[in-house]
Amino acid sequence: MIRIEQLDGLEVLDSRGRPTVAATMVVKPGVRVSISVPSGASIGKAEAQELRDGGRRFGGFGCRAAIASILGPISTAVARESFENQEHLDTRLCELDGSPNKSHLGANAILAVSLAFARAAAKVRKQELFDYFASLLPESRPALPQLSVNLFSGGKHAFGQVSIQDLLVVPSKCLSIADQLAVVYEVYQNAAAIAAKRYQSRALTADEGGLAPPFKTSAEMFETAAEAVEAAGYQLGADIRLAVDVASSHFVQPHGSYRLDGQTLRPNELIDCIAQWAETYPLVSVEDGLSEDDWTHWPDLRKRLNDGTLTLADDLTCTNPERIRRAIDFAAANALLLKVNQIGTVSEAKNAYLIAREAGWKISVSARSGETEDDWLADLAVGWNGDFIKVGSITQSERLSKYNRLLTIEHEFESRFSRLQP
Ligand code: PGA
Ligand code: ZN
């Protein structure tokens, strides 16, 4: 049992300068923790709803109403109450909200309280946060994920110069986190140098720190990524693979065709184009290759991609157990992008995770474009044994806090391992 003594909420700013929600929780015996939640830009229609103030302040993005939810109804319901476990608190929060998408109290307010409880419970039990997250699953052994790191960005995360949102590099999983980061650094530096030479300017960076040179086409983005890998002295396929977040919900047209790099493509033509990328480059995964409503064509895309390339669902599934079940029934995907704030509580995200795992899906644990310096996501990826983690690029402190936490956990694992040695 964990008794919540006090709950507080504070509007803080995310990496885009927009307000987001932080919560502080005091639990017995005098344990005090704080946590903050992220927010997306490339938001799926089926995501849980954040509560935003509207009006002129912060362009309508203010979170005072969400803070009022924490200080008012949520505190009234949960402060000075005891909870058996995470599920108990999260169920209470969902009941209290009562809406299907958390629009009443705000998913941002609810998630902050759910996560604060996780951090507090770990502290009460004198556990690392990743061990606490692992303890929520029926069976899980914490393990370090493979990195998938934004190299180039377009779409909503940049100026929209190319339609696809992110091109990522995925270093070999035989490497440690420390070595994966070193490899990514070299590729990133080479990519920046190539972009500077080709476009005579310092490459601007996108929301998640990916480079955003004025590529004319997505094909050019792929070619330059391959060039940067080679210039860094690595072999594409052997040392590094690529991944792509097409984020096509943002360039689907009302009648179901897609507007990619100035061309209008029917769904099967977009599938052909993606299949061509997967044939030309060693692609680990294709995320949101089709739009969030295009249930008809997702299974075709999955069939077209060979076994080596995952069909990764983000906006399609929105970390929502019902939508994941539907995607499994439709054979629409074989990997889940897991974003806790798409669903709004730790326990519901856990259910989403378990359903996907049960179907044999791979899991990529993901940050959002609007992040804070909080590092809980790294613990979640480790605790839930994510196959991949997707945090953005290797610049900007809100991204680095997660990578640095992974480095710290890796170090902790090494010392745990050496303690086991005779
Ligand atoms: P978002 O994008 O955080 O801006 O929604 C991330 C993604 O699409 O994976
Ligand atoms: Zn995405």
Side-chain angles (χ1 to χ4, degrees):
M1 279 285 189
I2 291 182
R3 184 175 148 94
I4 299 175
E5 283 300 334
Q6 257 178 41
L7 194 55
D8 197 3
L10 180 69
E11 187 186 61
V12 295
L13 301 187
D14 74 17
S15 50
R16 302 165 301 184
R18 273 188 203 168
T20 188
V21 176
T24 298
M25 187 180 279
V26 179
V27 300
K28 268 201 165 160
V31 172
R32 181 191 172 89
V33 297
S34 294
I35 204 128
S36 53
V37 302
S39 171
S42 166
I43 296 176
K45 281 195 283 202
E47 289 198 24
Q49 289 284 303
E50 299 173 333
L51 202 55
R52 298 279 181 184
D53 300 339
R56 281 193 55 201
R57 186 175 168 271
F58 279 113
F61 288 109
C63 287
R64 285 182 174 164
I67 302 304
S69 291
I70 296 181
L71 301 180
I74 299 181
S75 285
T76 308
V78 307
R80 287 165 299 285
E81 294 290 333
S82 297
F83 294 90
E84 277 161 41
N85 50 34
Q86 187 77 46
E87 188 108 34
H88 186 193
L89 173 80
D90 290 345
T91 307
R92 182 81 192 91
L93 292 171
C94 291
E95 283 167 1
L96 188 67
D97 177 80
S99 71
N101 60 359
K102 303 190 175 57
S103 56
H104 180 208
L105 297 171
N108 41 1
I110 291 174
L111 181 62
V113 176
S114 176
L115 279 169
F117 184 86
R119 188 165 265 166
K123 209 162 172 189
V124 168
R125 296 189 195 168
K126 299 193 171 32
Q127 262 180 332
E128 291 279 3
L129 185 56
F130 62 81
D131 281 324
Y132 172 79
F133 283 132
S135 75
L136 300 179
L137 300 181
E139 49 185 282
S140 172
R141 286 170 64 82
L144 291 157
Q146 193 174 358
L147 304 183
S148 55
V149 183
N150 294 26
L151 184 66
F152 292 128
S153 294
K156 275 206 149 189
H157 284 177
F159 189 51
Q161 79 286 27
V162 285
S163 309
I164 60 177
Q165 188 170 283
D166 299 297
L167 188 60
L168 304 99
V169 286
V170 185
S172 162
K173 71 171 170 215
C174 304
L175 299 176
S176 65
I177 297 288
D179 288 342
Q180 288 182 53
L181 285 167
V183 166
V184 172
Y185 173 84
E186 289 173 53
V187 176
Y188 187 92
Q189 293 305 324
N190 278 281
I194 293 168
K197 195 161 160 220
R198 197 153 298 159
Y199 302 102
Q200 281 83 46
S201 72
R202 184 173 183 274
L204 299 172
T205 56
D207 283 351
E208 298 183 356
L211 298 160
F215 294 127
K216 290 210 175 52
T217 60
S218 302
E220 198 179 322
M221 201 177 196
F222 273 98
E223 283 154 22
T224 314
E227 208 179 321
V229 169
E230 199 179 304
Y234 294 108
Q235 204 187 332
L236 203 56
D239 306 312
I240 297 177
R241 291 185 293 160
L242 303 179
V244 60
D245 183 0
V246 185
S248 59
S249 303
H250 303 296
F251 57 82
V252 70
Q253 304 298 297
H255 46 281
S257 61
Y258 293 87
R259 191 91 190 131
L260 180 83
D261 302 340
Q263 275 185 297
T264 303
L265 304 179
R266 288 195 298 271
N268 55 338
E269 291 173 319
L270 179 58
I271 293 173
D272 286 343
C273 171
I274 294 171
Q276 171 95 49
W277 295 336
E279 276 155 31
T280 315
Y281 301 100
L283 264 192
V284 177
S285 56
V286 173
E287 180 182 334
D288 284 352
L290 295 158
S291 86
E292 59 197 334
D293 296 320
D294 198 347
W295 289 94
T296 318
H297 297 99
W298 269 83
D300 300 338
L301 174 63
R302 184 187 156 164
K303 270 189 236 131
R304 272 300 287 285
L305 292 176
N306 63 34
D307 289 344
T309 303
L310 296 166
T311 310
L312 177 59
D314 173 12
D315 290 351
L316 181 79
T317 39
C318 279
T319 318
N320 180 313
E322 259 173 55
R323 291 182 72 95
I324 295 167
R325 276 201 198 93
R326 186 168 175 204
I328 292 166
D329 290 347
F330 276 58
N334 52 14
L336 175 74
L337 197 81
L338 186 134
K339 293 167 165 168
V340 185
N341 78 329
Q342 280 181 327
I343 186 71
T345 62
V346 172
S347 300
E348 289 165 291
K350 178 193 76 176
N351 292 342
Y353 170 95
L354 290 173
I355 293 163
R357 275 289 191 229
E358 172 81 23
W361 285 22
K362 299 281 186 205
I363 308 279
S364 179
V365 176
S366 175
R368 302 305 305 253
S369 50
E371 273 291 332
T372 73
E373 60 281 14
D374 204 330
D375 57 8
W376 58 264
L377 189 86
D379 287 78
L380 188 80
V382 171
W384 288 2
N385 205 336
D387 300 285
F388 303 95
I389 187 168
K390 182 181 174 229
V391 163
S393 197
I394 49 160
T395 59
Q396 306 180 181
S397 295
E398 80 282 0
R399 315 283 146 195
L400 297 171
S401 66
K402 282 73 165 173
Y403 292 127
N404 287 341
R405 175 66 183 148
L406 288 176
L407 289 169
T408 309
I409 297 173
E410 181 164 80
H411 188 61
E412 158 76 16
F413 280 0
E414 279 158 10
S415 50
R416 277 186 192 184
F417 184 69
S418 63
R419 281 198 295 273
L420 293 175
Q421 299 297 304

